[in-house]
Amino acid sequence: MLELIVGIDIGGTSTKFGLVDTTGKVRIHSSIATENPNIEGYITELAHAVRQAKDSLDEPVEFLGIGVGAPNANYKKGTIEDAPNLPWQGTIPLASLLEDEFNVSVKLTNDANAAAMGEMMFGGAKGMQDFIAITLGTGLGSGFVANGQLIQGHDGHAGELGHIAYKIGGGRLCKCGKKGCLETYVSATGLKRTVYKLLADHHMDSELKRYSFDDLNTKMVADAANNGDIVAKEAFEYTGKVLGAKLADAVGHTSPEAIFIMGGLAKAGDLIFKPTIKHFEKNLLNVYQGKIKILPSELDSTHTPIIGAASLILEDIENGKSVPV
Amino acid sequence: MLELIVGIDIGGTSTKFGLVDTTGKVRIHSSIATENPNIEGYITELAHAVRQAKDSLDEPVEFLGIGVGAPNANYKKGTIEDAPNLPWQGTIPLASLLEDEFNVSVKLTNDANAAAMGEMMFGGAKGMQDFIAITLGTGLGSGFVANGQLIQGHDGHAGELGHIAYKIGGGRLCKCGKKGCLETYVSATGLKRTVYKLLADHHMDSELKRYSFDDLNTKMVADAANNGDIVAKEAFEYTGKVLGAKLADAVGHTSPEAIFIMGGLAKAGDLIFKPTIKHFEKNLLNVYQGKIKILPSELDSTHTPIIGAASLILEDIENGKSVPV
């Protein structure tokens, strides 16, 4: 009997899932649209797709559990709460709905926490007791591990670095309603806003003048920067300056061994890592300087969220905590 | 046989210690000057004073261990490293020196971490899994507890909120060499700097004009504020504004149940707590608003550092980790 964990990554557009073995290998993966406004209907569709994937494997499979990464997930309660980009309103008891369907343990956390778990179980953070994972997508997510454990926090909402202040009480308006939040500067969207700010404030030639805000993406800015476009280069420099400074602050909280940066913006490589590391070191207290690594993820980026979600269950199994429901 | 823990609080001027029972009660306390530049000589003096205190009790005593709170303490190594306000240079192996002298376990951490432990064992954080302790003295110290454990961090230097940036790359010069550090605004010294800044920038009448920078202390500013002095009131308001904003950021890291504020500046009561709470709530992400308590310490402030230091040993005993050396 092949023992597998279901890793599920719920995004605003699609729900990706994979069946992951205990070595972290994704044996099969697939997806469904995240569009059914009826949560029971969505669970039925998801369960159907998961069972289809299971049946397509050559050998008989036993599920050890289900791990889910989702926005606004509450680990302690197993719920998704008021997620603005998902089709369900209010508090959704996702863990219990999936437990009823599959009769195995279900663990739920936000996508950045799941990424941190994946990095600890199978990536560059293997063996580390204290580290931070930063995911740079549309927004900025973060997961903290201290003393070898994920920090979920009192209410399951730890690791919201996207909404700490780069500019206190001022700066760019965030969709959370506050101003100056870190993710309005450091994320795929933040990078675009910086490009537009630079184009507004200066009159340098730039190939980025060709693109509408809606069309512009991180890869276009990265390609332009690699072609020597001064606006694109400056946009990455500024993004790294902001990220480096705020990561130096994060170190003052939990003193990690390393900080892993992943997600779309991290794929820009040196363009984002170099300025981030420079400004990180510049803002660090002397006892930390030169000691803390800023690294790309070592996970296969296609499956990071799925492996991370599955790691929630694998960690419980390793610690002897897993109990079938 | 009475079982006691030695709690030691090493400060720049004096070393206070107490013999603490397993309920957190200080049975006897005393102090020596922290002045002997020879560390072996200092240990001999301290050991003599501790034994004198022990002998003055009516019943025979067994020491269960020694807990020490000290600036620049490294919990993982049991050392004090380059503490600018102590008479010893370089790295001092304090834990092993005391172990050799007393033949019991010695644990060492910085004073704010010790305060957090004391709050968890015997104060308002009893039963809490996730909280932060902030000590406001000459500087600003912090101790983080997550998942019921003190966060020491990779290198034993977690919880340095005194040196996170209120103003990134600018602002007041800090004795650490950086600019804009939180403790240059929020601490007894920070409050004095704010008073002097207000007196420099405005021309309001203020009784604080009578005092030199050297003479001015928190109590004088608090008394003036309570008498309606506009500069003193504004200085507290500004201090709370800065502290509230940065504590809201700290919540985005570890999502605590409560934040305990202790030390000299905390004794100003509403003068500091009211503006701190107001600006804290204003800067919090919506998922945290109205849920996180900002509270004064529930420990007897005279003995907080001693009880906190002793708690390092008591926690080990409770967890069955204590092993005589």
Side-chain angles (χ1 to χ4, degrees), chain A residues 249-296:
Chain A
D249 262 18
V251 168
H253 291 68
T254 63
S255 181
E257 178 174 351
I259 299 173
F260 294 88
I261 300 181
M262 52 194 88
L265 194 48
K267 289 185 190 155
D270 278 355
L271 286 172
I272 184 70
F273 277 88
K274 273 196 175 170
T276 300
I277 291 169
K278 181 174 86 187
H279 290 278
F280 176 67
E281 288 292 338
K282 206 167 139 181
N283 284 281
L284 279 180
L285 183 62
N286 53 3
V287 293
Y288 303 122
Q289 280 166 15
K291 293 182 192 166
I292 299 159
K293 300 179 278 275
I294 294 195
L295 299 167

Side-chain angles (χ1 to χ4, degrees), chain A residues 144 147 149-150 153-155 157-161 164-166 168 178 246 249-250 252-255 257 283 288, chain B residues 144 147 149-150 153-155 157-161 163-166 168 178 246 249-250 252-255 257 283 288:
Chain A
F144 283 74
N147 295 316
Q149 287 185 292
L150 194 60
H154 166 54
D155 57 355
H157 285 299
E160 285 289 355
L161 288 200
I164 62 170
Y166 174 59
I168 295 169
K178 295 202 304 162
K246 293 305 289 181
D249 262 18
H253 291 68
T254 63
S255 181
E257 178 174 351
N283 284 281
Y288 303 122
Chain B
F144 283 73
N147 295 315
Q149 287 185 293
L150 195 61
H154 167 54
D155 57 354
H157 285 299
E160 284 289 356
L161 289 201
H163 302 281
I164 61 171
Y166 174 60
I168 296 168
K178 295 202 304 162
K246 294 306 287 184
D249 262 18
H253 292 68
T254 64
S255 180
E257 178 175 351
N283 284 282
Y288 303 123

Side-chain angles (χ1 to χ4, degrees), chain A residues 45-94:
Chain A
E45 288 167 31
L46 179 60
H48 179 73
V50 168
R51 292 203 173 95
Q52 228 170 15
K54 178 186 174 187
D55 293 343
S56 73
L57 291 171
D58 287 340
E59 33 185 338
V61 168
E62 186 194 352
F63 287 154
L64 298 175
I66 300 173
V68 184
N72 292 43
N74 187 321
Y75 177 85
K76 301 211 168 173
K77 297 184 187 156
T79 54
I80 296 176
E81 297 172 7
D82 301 312
N85 299 324
L86 298 182
W88 318 297
Q89 301 309 304
T91 298
I92 304 298
L94 196 85

Side-chain angles (χ1 to χ4, degrees), chain B:
Chain B
M1 189 76 94
L2 181 61
E3 295 184 322
L4 297 177
I5 296 107
V6 188
I8 300 175
D9 169 39
I10 303 180
T13 313
S14 70
T15 297
K16 295 172 185 150
F17 66 89
L19 307 188
V20 184
D21 67 24
T22 52
T23 70
K25 200 174 157 218
V26 178
R27 294 298 189 100
I28 186 166
H29 61 95
S30 183
S31 67
I32 66 166
T34 313
E35 66 185 359
N36 194 329
N38 178 282
I39 184 66
E40 284 80 14
Y42 166 82
I43 294 286
T44 305
E45 288 167 31
L46 180 59
H48 179 73
V50 168
R51 292 205 172 94
Q52 228 171 14
K54 179 186 173 186
D55 293 342
S56 72
L57 291 170
D58 286 339
E59 31 186 339
V61 168
E62 186 193 351
F63 286 153
L64 297 176
I66 300 173
V68 185
N72 291 43
N74 187 320
Y75 177 85
K76 300 209 169 174
K77 297 184 186 156
T79 53
I80 295 176
E81 297 173 7
D82 301 313
N85 299 324
L86 298 183
W88 319 296
Q89 302 308 304
T91 297
I92 304 298
L94 195 85
S96 67
L97 289 168
L98 285 170
E99 278 168 4
D100 291 348
E101 184 68 37
F102 284 98
N103 213 33
V104 291
S105 291
V106 179
K107 296 275 179 182
L108 185 63
T109 194
N110 74 48
D111 45 353
N113 284 347
M117 289 299 298
E119 205 66 44
M120 181 159 64
M121 299 289 291
F122 303 110
K126 218 183 283 181
M128 286 188 188
Q129 294 288 302
D130 303 276
F131 71 94
I132 304 173
I134 302 287
T135 60
L136 300 176
T138 313
L140 183 153
S142 61
F144 283 73
V145 170
N147 295 315
Q149 287 185 293
L150 195 61
I151 302 184
Q152 300 282 357
H154 167 54
D155 57 354
H157 285 299
E160 284 289 356
L161 289 201
H163 302 281
I164 61 171
Y166 174 60
K167 295 195 175 169
I168 296 168
R172 296 180 185 172
L173 190 60
C174 184
K175 63 177 188 223
C176 78
K178 295 202 304 162
K179 278 183 169 180
C181 290
L182 181 57
E183 76 173 24
T184 68
Y185 298 87
V186 182
S187 63
T189 321
L191 181 72
K192 291 211 292 190
R193 292 170 85 158
T194 298
V195 166
Y196 267 58
K197 172 92 169 88
L198 290 167
L199 290 177
D201 288 351
H202 302 279
H203 54 72
M204 297 98 90
D205 274 344
S206 170
E207 59 183 88
L208 299 177
K209 289 181 176 172
R210 283 186 230 148
Y211 305 110
S212 72
F213 194 91
D214 283 346
D215 288 341
L216 189 65
N217 63 35
T218 301
K219 192 172 177 305
M220 289 169 184
V221 186
D223 288 346
N226 286 326
N227 290 337
D229 188 283
I230 197 162
V231 169
K233 280 162 60 179
E234 180 57 29
F236 275 109
E237 178 70 26
Y238 182 74
T239 307
K241 178 181 165 182
V242 176
L243 180 57
K246 294 306 287 184
L247 290 182
D249 262 18
V251 167
H253 292 68
T254 64
S255 180
E257 178 175 351
I259 300 172
F260 293 88
I261 300 181
M262 50 194 88
L265 193 47
K267 288 186 191 155
D270 278 354
L271 285 172
I272 184 71
F273 276 89
K274 275 197 174 170
T276 300
I277 291 170
K278 180 174 85 185
H279 290 278
F280 176 67
E281 288 292 338
K282 205 167 140 181
N283 284 282
L284 278 180
L285 182 61
N286 53 3
V287 293
Y288 303 123
Q289 281 165 16
K291 294 183 190 166
I292 300 159
K293 299 179 278 277
I294 294 195
L295 300 167
S297 170
E298 285 187 18
L299 296 176
D300 167 3
S301 64
T302 326
H303 294 314
T304 300
I306 289 172
I307 296 170
S311 298
L312 294 170
I313 299 295
L314 283 166
E315 197 215 11
D316 274 8
I317 293 171
E318 284 197 358
N319 294 334
K321 282 192 291 187
S322 183
V323 191
V325 175

Side-chain angles (χ1 to χ4, degrees), chain A residues 189-265:
Chain A
T189 321
L191 180 73
K192 291 211 292 189
R193 291 171 85 159
T194 299
V195 167
Y196 267 58
K197 172 90 168 90
L198 290 167
L199 291 176
D201 288 351
H202 303 280
H203 55 72
M204 298 98 90
D205 274 344
S206 170
E207 58 183 89
L208 299 178
K209 288 182 177 173
R210 282 186 233 150
Y211 305 112
S212 72
F213 194 90
D214 283 345
D215 287 342
L216 189 65
N217 64 35
T218 302
K219 190 172 177 305
M220 290 168 183
V221 187
D223 287 347
N226 286 325
N227 289 337
D229 188 283
I230 197 162
V231 169
K233 280 163 61 179
E234 179 58 29
F236 275 110
E237 177 71 26
Y238 182 74
T239 306
K241 179 181 163 181
V242 175
L243 180 57
K246 293 305 289 181
L247 291 182
D249 262 18
V251 168
H253 291 68
T254 63
S255 181
E257 178 174 351
I259 299 173
F260 294 88
I261 300 181
M262 52 194 88
L265 194 48

